[in-house]
Amino acid sequence: MLHKHVDSEELMKHAKHAPMHHLRSKTMHSLAYGSRYASQEIPKYKLPEQATEAQAAYQLIHDELELDGRPNMNLASFVHTWMEPEADKLIMENISKNLSDQDEYPATMRIHARCVSIIGEMWKSKGAIGTATIGSSEAVQLGGLAMKKRWQEKRRAEGKDTSNPNIIMGNNAQVALEKFARYFDVECRLVPVSAESHHCLDIKKAAEACDENTIGVFVILGSTYTGHFEDVEGMSKELDRIQKEKGWDIPIHVDAASGGFVAPFAFPKLKWSFDVPRVKSINTSGHKYGLAYAGIGWILWKGEEFLPKDLIFTLMYLGAEEQTYTLNFSRPACFVIAQYYNFVRLGRQGYTSIIRNDLENARLLSLALEATGYFDVMSDMHRPRGVFGIDNKTSLSITDPKKGLETIKAAIQDRGDSEFNPALPVVAFKLTDEFKRENPHVKQAAVATLLRTRGWIVPNYPLPPAEDTIEILRIVVRESFSLDLVNSVMMDIVWAAETLAESETGFDAEIYARKADPIADAHKMQTPAHDGGKKTPGQQC
């Protein structure tokens, strides 16, 4: 093939004056890797002076977000990460709707009302009143405020002081519960947890902490540490005894962030909801085992009389009179619609099937971990009802993880949920004392670090104060955590433990932690003076 020599300088001279030159230039800039950001830093901390083509902006941000972990392999979070394409379509069709615009979106308001009714019936109250929230963190604040206001009203009517309210909770409480106390000037009385109380609220000690200024008790249906359900009915009976002896009428708010969509389907005979007399309010997260995306929670009261009237605002907004009791105002309506989609799509049968499958996979993983001989399982959801503690291990032994899992699965399927301890599908585990004695160079945090190299996000963290010398690894089993993934993560956990044991020297996970990030450090607040400049341990979410 023959070609003629081209004078490049002459060619470029003509190209500059060609009518398509400017169009080609703009087209080039619409390509992410041909834009100015291909050779310049992407704007991060101040607004850029010039605009960017939509395609380029999308591609650059998309590529950066590819560095995030895969949601399906994030075993640390309770938050649901998958919905059906039809739900995704409904969300996108309604993503611009504001839940606060009641006059503009009457159909959406009817769906909101239906969701409250469905959840109220699920929690055994025909007269429940409630509202959607952004999540359980907002809902807990609303539940606590209602308890405080009812306590104040009663005290004022009796001519008593209202200046020193307190609230009781276990020190395993998720941080949102403590936030309520700190933000709304309520003394927070944290009850120590122990192995004897199954690492969650000790109802006897909680009763001892009550007095005439106690506005209520937070009881958690599903501890974020180990998945245990706290004893709502037992706590109610303790408060009955206190009222009989002291005359103090103390209500219960159930933080059912995760358990509110687990207990009704897996443990329908368990008494924890509005059929327990002292339970006046309950919150849950629709974006956890309610199986919707992040951004939807619920708070319900047993009846209107338990929600003080002066907390409710009646206002005119965009042509309609509406009543509201939330900490924020404008918020997306699409996630309420996503929640309703699940109610219509799944029904009781669908939710029951999914939750039972989650529990089965969690039990399978728990028993398999114990059978390796490398791990103690601190959660008790795989043990027979009424049996607790790491001394009650399975007698199984696994040499081939895949075949062993098949044997365990067959044994689990022969038993119903009612034969196991009521709990969340959460697997909390640690290296056995024997393994640590034989391998003193192995640090448990290194197991989590090695699992990261395989893509798994499995946190390692200490139990609450009084038990914080014990560190646990935790896996939350969600709908997207299939049996195949149970097999995969099980083999990778065994690989991590054996790799660390066989190494000649210790693998210090701290070496690989980001210790110096000047940008992140610039956004951190100084340690409060009352902490003495010392770092205080964080709380589990």
Side-chain angles (χ1 to χ4, degrees), residues 157-425:
E158 296 171 347
K160 296 179 180 178
D161 179 63
T162 63
S163 62
N164 297 299
N166 68 70
I167 192 161
I168 312 296
M169 67 189 82
N171 65 0
N172 62 311
Q174 205 263 4
V175 68
L177 280 66
E178 287 195 59
K179 278 184 179 180
F180 160 72
R182 188 179 300 182
Y183 291 175
F184 295 102
D185 294 322
V186 177
E187 179 193 350
C188 182
R189 295 188 176 178
L190 293 171
V191 178
V193 304
S194 64
E196 290 72 30
S197 68
H198 317 313
H199 317 291
C200 58
L201 183 68
D202 185 320
I203 61 173
K204 297 291 185 183
K205 290 180 180 177
E208 292 171 2
C210 293
D211 62 25
E212 65 177 349
N213 292 320
T214 301
I215 67 171
V217 180
F218 279 142
V219 184
I220 304 168
L221 199 74
S223 171
T224 56
Y225 285 88
T226 57
H228 287 89
F229 285 178
E230 294 182 344
D231 187 358
V232 179
E233 186 178 22
M235 189 72 250
S236 182
K237 290 177 179 177
E238 285 295 315
L239 295 175
D240 287 344
R241 177 184 59 80
I242 287 175
Q243 183 173 13
K244 187 175 180 180
E245 294 176 359
K246 308 280 189 177
W248 306 329
D249 185 9
I250 300 172
I252 290 173
H253 172 89
V254 178
D255 174 23
S258 297
F261 278 100
V262 172
F265 305 112
F267 311 103
K269 294 182 180 179
L270 181 69
K271 294 195 71 173
W272 68 273
S273 57
F274 289 131
D275 55 340
V276 177
R278 290 199 177 270
V279 175
K280 310 303 184 188
S281 52
I282 305 173
N283 70 274
T284 195
S285 295
H287 56 230
K288 293 179 182 174
Y289 289 100
L291 309 180
Y293 291 131
I296 181 65
W298 301 93
I299 171 77
L300 270 67
W301 288 266
K302 183 179 293 188
E304 290 186 44
E305 65 271 28
F306 301 110
L307 180 54
K309 296 292 187 292
D310 60 351
L311 289 177
I312 300 171
F313 283 83
T314 300
L315 64 153
M316 292 296 296
Y317 182 66
L318 300 181
E321 182 179 285
E322 60 185 69
Q323 291 186 321
T324 178
Y325 175 43
T326 57
L327 294 181
N328 62 0
F329 194 64
S330 294
R331 58 199 189 279
C334 59
F335 299 118
V336 171
I337 295 166
Q339 182 76 83
Y340 186 60
Y341 170 85
N342 279 342
F343 290 160
V344 173
R345 170 75 175 91
L346 297 173
R348 186 171 293 275
Q349 180 187 32
Y351 269 106
T352 300
S353 176
I354 290 168
I355 297 302
R356 285 182 173 173
N357 189 60
D358 291 346
L359 288 164
E360 185 176 292
N361 284 340
R363 291 178 188 128
L364 173 63
L365 181 58
S366 299
L367 291 166
L369 286 168
E370 284 187 340
T372 65
Y374 300 156
F375 299 100
D376 287 328
V377 177
M378 306 293 286
S379 45
D380 290 301
M381 53 83 61
H382 63 298
R383 297 191 172 99
R385 196 178 185 101
V387 176
F388 300 91
I390 60 175
D391 293 333
N392 297 289
K393 294 182 182 178
T394 176
S395 58
L396 295 168
S397 178
I398 288 183
T399 53
D400 181 338
K402 194 163 186 179
K403 289 183 179 178
L405 286 174
E406 291 171 358
T407 303
I408 295 170
K409 183 175 176 65
I412 291 172
Q413 288 179 327
D414 290 338
R415 303 164 67 182
D417 291 317
S418 61
E419 296 185 45
F420 295 95
N421 287 316
L424 299 179

Side-chain angles (χ1 to χ4, degrees), residues 34-255:
S35 74
R36 67 180 186 276
Y37 291 133
S39 58
Q40 297 177 24
E41 189 171 349
I42 298 171
K44 297 176 182 175
Y45 309 112
K46 67 176 186 177
L47 196 67
E49 295 298 325
Q50 299 176 354
T52 304
E53 293 291 329
Q55 183 182 350
Y58 163 80
Q59 192 64 50
L60 291 165
I61 297 170
H62 168 85
D63 290 350
E64 184 165 3
L65 291 173
E66 287 288 283
L67 299 175
D68 278 342
R70 293 178 57 193
N72 203 40
M73 297 180 77
N74 179 5
L75 308 183
S77 177
F78 286 91
V79 176
H80 196 65
T81 56
W82 178 85
M83 293 191 77
E84 292 176 320
E86 292 79 5
D88 290 344
K89 185 178 179 182
L90 273 174
I91 289 169
M92 294 311 300
E93 288 173 354
N94 294 279
I95 199 164
S96 62
K97 290 183 180 178
N98 184 350
L99 191 61
S100 295
D101 294 353
Q102 296 188 23
D103 187 56
E104 282 76 3
Y105 308 123
T108 300
M109 292 305 106
R110 287 194 293 271
I111 285 175
H112 177 276
R114 291 173 195 169
C115 287
V116 170
S117 181
I118 288 169
I119 296 170
E121 188 272 337
M122 192 169 73
W123 292 344
K124 302 179 180 176
S125 173
K126 298 294 185 182
I129 182 173
T131 183
T133 61
I134 292 297
S136 277
S137 292
E138 180 190 4
V140 162
Q141 313 305 309
L142 299 176
L145 275 172
M147 287 196 296
K148 179 181 178 182
K149 182 64 70 173
R150 287 202 311 272
W151 175 81
Q152 289 175 327
E153 289 176 349
K154 184 179 179 182
R155 297 279 290 182
R156 288 193 188 100
E158 296 171 347
K160 296 179 180 178
D161 179 63
T162 63
S163 62
N164 297 299
N166 68 70
I167 192 161
I168 312 296
M169 67 189 82
N171 65 0
N172 62 311
Q174 205 263 4
V175 68
L177 280 66
E178 287 195 59
K179 278 184 179 180
F180 160 72
R182 188 179 300 182
Y183 291 175
F184 295 102
D185 294 322
V186 177
E187 179 193 350
C188 182
R189 295 188 176 178
L190 293 171
V191 178
V193 304
S194 64
E196 290 72 30
S197 68
H198 317 313
H199 317 291
C200 58
L201 183 68
D202 185 320
I203 61 173
K204 297 291 185 183
K205 290 180 180 177
E208 292 171 2
C210 293
D211 62 25
E212 65 177 349
N213 292 320
T214 301
I215 67 171
V217 180
F218 279 142
V219 184
I220 304 168
L221 199 74
S223 171
T224 56
Y225 285 88
T226 57
H228 287 89
F229 285 178
E230 294 182 344
D231 187 358
V232 179
E233 186 178 22
M235 189 72 250
S236 182
K237 290 177 179 177
E238 285 295 315
L239 295 175
D240 287 344
R241 177 184 59 80
I242 287 175
Q243 183 173 13
K244 187 175 180 180
E245 294 176 359
K246 308 280 189 177
W248 306 329
D249 185 9
I250 300 172
I252 290 173
H253 172 89
V254 178
D255 174 23

Side-chain angles (χ1 to χ4, degrees), residues 193-196 198-199 225-226 376-379 390 428-433 436 444-445 459-474 537-538 540:
V193 304
S194 64
E196 290 72 30
H198 317 313
H199 317 291
Y225 285 88
T226 57
D376 287 328
V377 177
M378 306 293 286
S379 45
I390 60 175
F429 59 105
K430 69 178 186 66
L431 292 169
T432 64
D433 291 340
K436 288 187 281 190
Q444 188 168 287
N460 180 78
Y461 58 90
L463 285 174
E467 290 194 289
D468 53 4
T469 57
I470 301 171
E471 290 186 344
I472 59 172
L473 296 148
R474 187 194 72 185
Q540 179 60 25

